[in-house]
């Protein structure tokens, strides 16, 4: 197979091709590395690329395949986000500075390696995962494969850009306020924010006081489900250990006739927000598709209340402060320092914020007395200009990111699963998404519904024009 043809394969397809011997892991990994190298000047998706180590690991995978060994991801090249520990590399988490290399893999990486994956590198993320943009002085701007002038989103924007551009078939990201779902929406990908604890955050017992979870980004539901299953599972030190389940089995399963609430209400924010008309139209089109598939879709808003935002802020800001403290000598933007200071001020509110979670489960979860799933916009706007975040103050930054992305964070407070599904494109060709949201441990239901939508809409067949190759030719 050629470099281009290998790049067309999704995760499930590539894993099968490796098992069948149609392609070798060295071929697939070398092709991925070559695509990364060619794209880096334009897309800038990667912070660290492990060419020598990845090729050696691919050669070992080929030896195992030749000996008849099989594992779900044996020999498949994948990427992880640079907030996740990978032995032999630093974890800069978007910051500038020199940091020591990690001596152990994060639990999620350990499980991916156990499943046979070859980790080709670590993808860019904004400083400490704070923004729905992927840019920082340490590495520049990561750009959207669908438009060089627009952000791919964040904070898992390097992962989304890498997958949407076909550099790797899937990647792991993390989601503390939408950081898997937002970049998936803005790059025409499936992004799963799983139940809190589904994928371990170890060496942290929990991340950002339970807001942040790890999750997959991929072009298809089956690919995202496979990566989720491979990465899932607890570490003995985890604070959250939901009941074990698999989601790949739900792909292709009839979800039954579901009661779906279409909720366009924007959760409470302190700054001005409004739903873009093109995004609204695409979400309504997704609702119409669900109705054609036999589901009952009713306009019914989720009642988020003010308390959810009041509990989110201390958890996120104190989390930023502690993440920065784990990176002594980090060179960061003044806005990051400001947020860390805010975290110090808000730290006395942490206990109350955590104690409020059961109340929020009852309040917000009341929607599930009458509905099985909530359908909502993933973002309020299409992807912004890549430079719109540059050089503005903390208040202007908060206003910008809240106006673009007010919909995703409540499900982080709740710890419940949600899935971004591509919802189509604006008139200018920019991708937007819709999110399917469920109660605790509802990943199989959401995945079966997302896969049913995909079978109808076939979003994975739409690929961006590879402008980044032309720019480096």
């Amino acid at each position: 197979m050629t470099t281009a043809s290998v790049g067309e394969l999704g995760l499930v397809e590539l894993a099968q091709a490796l098992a069948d011997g149609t392609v070798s892991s060295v071929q697939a990994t070398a092709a991925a590395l070559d695509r990364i190298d060619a794209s880096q000047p334009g897309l800038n998706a990667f912070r660290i690329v492990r060419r020598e180590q990845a090729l050696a690991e691919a050669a070992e995978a080929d030896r195992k395949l030749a000996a008849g060994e099989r594992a779900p991801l044996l020999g498949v090249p994948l990427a992880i986000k640079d907030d996740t520990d990978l032995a032999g590399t630093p974890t800069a988490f978007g910051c500038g500075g020199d940091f020591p290399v990690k001596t152990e893999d994060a639990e999620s990486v350990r499980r991916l390696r156990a499943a046979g994956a070859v980790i080709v590198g670590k993808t860019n993320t904004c400083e400490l995962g704070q923004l729905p943009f992927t840019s920082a002085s340490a590495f520049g701007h990561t750009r959207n494969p669908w438009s060089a002038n627009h952000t791919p989103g964040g904070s898992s924007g390097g992962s989304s850009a890498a997958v949407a551009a076909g550099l790797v078939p899937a990647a792991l990201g993390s989601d503390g306020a939408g950081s898997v779902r937002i970049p998936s929406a803005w790059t025409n990908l499936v992004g799963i924010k799983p139940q809190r604890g589904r994928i371990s955050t170890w060496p942290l017992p929990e991340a950002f006081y339970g807001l942040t979870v790890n999750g997959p980004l991929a072009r298809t539901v089956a690919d995202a489900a496979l990566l989720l299953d491979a990465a899932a599972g607890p570490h003995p030190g985890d604070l959250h250990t939901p009941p074990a389940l698999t989601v790949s089995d739900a792909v292709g399963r009839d979800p039954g006739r579901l009661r779906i609430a279409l909720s366009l209400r924007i959760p409470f924010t302190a700054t001005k927000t409004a739903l873009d008309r093109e995004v609204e139209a695409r979400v309504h089109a997704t609702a119409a598709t669900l109705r054609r598939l036999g589901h009952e879709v009713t306009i019914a808003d989720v009642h988020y209340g003010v308390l959810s935002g009041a509990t989110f802020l201390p958890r996120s800001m104190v989390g930023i402060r502690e993440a920065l403290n784990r990176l002594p000598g980090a060179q960061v933007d003044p806005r990051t320092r400001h947020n860390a200071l805010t975290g110090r001020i808000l730290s006395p509110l942490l206990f109350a914020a955590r104690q409020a979670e059961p109340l929020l489960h009852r309040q917000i979860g009341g929607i599930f007395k009458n509905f099985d799933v909530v359908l909502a916009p993933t973002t309020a706007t299409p992807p912004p200009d890549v430079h719109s975040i540059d050089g503005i103050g903390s208040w202007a930054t908060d206003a910008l990111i809240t106006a673009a992305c007010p919909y995703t964070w409540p499900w982080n407070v709740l710890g419940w699963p949600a899935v971004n599904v591509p919802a189509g494109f604006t008139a200018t060709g920019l991708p937007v998404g819709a999110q399917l949201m469920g109660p605790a441990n509802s990943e199989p239901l959401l995945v079966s519904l997302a896969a049913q939508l995909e079978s109808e809409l076939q979003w994975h067949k739409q690929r961006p024009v590879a402008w980044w190759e032309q720019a480096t030719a």
Side-chain angles (χ1 to χ4, degrees):
M1 300 182 71
T2 65
T3 296
S5 61
V6 173
E8 290 295 310
L9 299 179
L11 186 62
V12 172
E13 295 168 328
L14 183 53
Q16 188 61 55
L18 286 159
D20 293 344
T22 307
V23 65
S24 73
S25 180
V26 167
Q27 285 177 294
T29 302
L33 291 163
D34 289 346
R35 292 192 299 272
I36 292 168
D37 288 347
S39 73
Q40 193 63 9
L43 278 181
N44 191 22
F46 280 79
R47 184 75 183 263
I48 294 172
V49 179
R50 305 173 66 243
R51 177 173 284 272
E52 184 177 338
Q53 302 96 319
L55 288 173
E57 293 165 12
E60 177 61 23
D62 282 333
R63 286 190 286 273
K64 291 180 179 179
L65 287 162
E69 291 188 37
R70 293 294 180 266
L73 300 176
L74 186 52
V76 177
L78 294 176
I80 62 171
K81 182 178 176 180
D82 194 29
D83 64 346
T84 304
D85 289 353
L86 177 66
T89 68
T91 301
F93 206 168
C95 300
D98 294 321
F99 307 106
V101 300
K102 299 296 182 178
T103 57
E104 294 184 5
D105 291 333
E107 177 66 14
S108 58
V109 174
R110 188 194 70 77
R111 289 180 177 271
L112 290 179
R113 288 189 192 270
V118 175
I119 309 300
V120 295
K122 302 181 74 172
T123 58
N124 277 324
T125 176
C126 59
E127 292 176 1
L128 310 182
Q130 301 168 87
L131 305 171
F133 288 75
T134 298
S135 58
S137 59
F139 61 84
H141 296 80
T142 298
R143 296 176 181 270
N144 195 317
W146 293 91
S147 170
N149 295 323
H150 292 84
T151 181
S155 62
S156 304
S159 289
S160 70
V163 177
L167 311 184
V168 288
L172 202 62
S174 61
D175 190 314
S179 288
V180 162
R181 288 163 288 161
I182 291 165
S184 296
W186 285 346
T187 56
N188 196 51
L189 298 179
V190 176
I192 302 177
K193 175 216 169 298
Q195 177 73 24
R196 182 185 300 150
R198 181 75 59 215
I199 300 177
S200 173
T201 55
W202 191 261
L204 298 176
E206 65 173 1
F208 286 77
Y209 292 93
L211 293 178
T212 297
V213 301
N214 296 321
L217 301 92
R219 292 192 293 257
T220 70
V221 177
D223 289 351
L226 175 59
L227 184 55
L228 174 55
D229 283 343
H235 183 279
D238 288 349
L239 284 182
H240 308 284
T241 53
L245 53 79
T246 59
V247 296
S248 293
D249 293 346
V251 177
R253 183 191 304 161
D254 184 355
R257 187 173 188 266
L258 300 177
R259 301 165 302 163
I260 300 173
L262 171 58
S263 177
L264 302 180
R265 171 183 288 182
I266 293 177
F268 174 79
T269 62
T271 57
K272 184 178 180 181
T273 55
L275 178 58
D276 178 269
R277 289 183 178 180
E278 284 193 279
V279 176
E280 182 177 5
R282 298 317 309 153
V283 175
H284 274 292
T286 302
T289 301
L290 289 167
R291 290 189 183 100
R292 288 199 304 273
L293 289 166
H295 302 291
E296 179 185 343
V297 183
T298 305
I299 295 175
D301 284 324
V302 177
H303 296 285
Y304 296 104
V306 177
L307 182 60
S308 55
T311 64
F312 173 81
L313 200 59
R315 292 163 73 173
S316 61
M317 292 298 163
V318 178
I320 289 167
R321 179 191 176 210
E322 293 183 352
L324 185 59
N325 288 342
R326 288 193 294 270
L327 293 168
Q331 300 160 11
V332 296
D333 189 279
R335 289 169 289 186
T336 297
R337 297 284 179 194
H338 176 270
N339 286 344
L341 175 60
T342 303
R344 188 176 73 178
I345 295 169
L346 294 180
S347 59
L349 302 178
L350 264 179
F351 178 78
R354 298 307 297 268
Q355 292 298 110
E357 195 170 299
L359 174 61
L360 292 171
H361 283 159
R362 293 192 297 272
Q363 175 187 307
I364 299 175
I367 192 77
F368 296 112
K369 293 178 181 177
N370 299 311
F371 297 95
D372 304 300
V373 173
V374 174
L375 170 68
T378 302
T379 68
T381 71
D385 183 277
V386 71
H387 289 292
S388 58
I389 198 73
D390 297 353
I392 58 177
S394 294
W395 177 254
T397 298
D398 291 343
L400 172 63
I401 65 179
T402 304
C405 301
Y407 280 103
T408 47
W409 59 268
W411 248 243
N412 295 89
V413 172
L414 300 172
W416 292 346
V419 178
N420 175 77
V421 292
F425 297 82
T426 67
T428 57
L430 296 175
V432 297
Q435 55 177 336
L436 305 171
M437 303 143 72
N441 305 306
S442 59
E443 291 100 323
L445 175 64
L446 299 178
V447 163
S448 66
L449 181 59
Q452 188 184 54
L453 263 175
E454 180 181 273
S455 67
E456 183 79 9
L457 299 177
Q458 300 285 302
W459 53 64
H460 56 288
K461 293 184 177 179
Q462 296 172 291
R463 303 288 179 87
V465 176
W467 56 264
W468 55 92
E469 293 179 357
Q470 300 161 8
T472 58

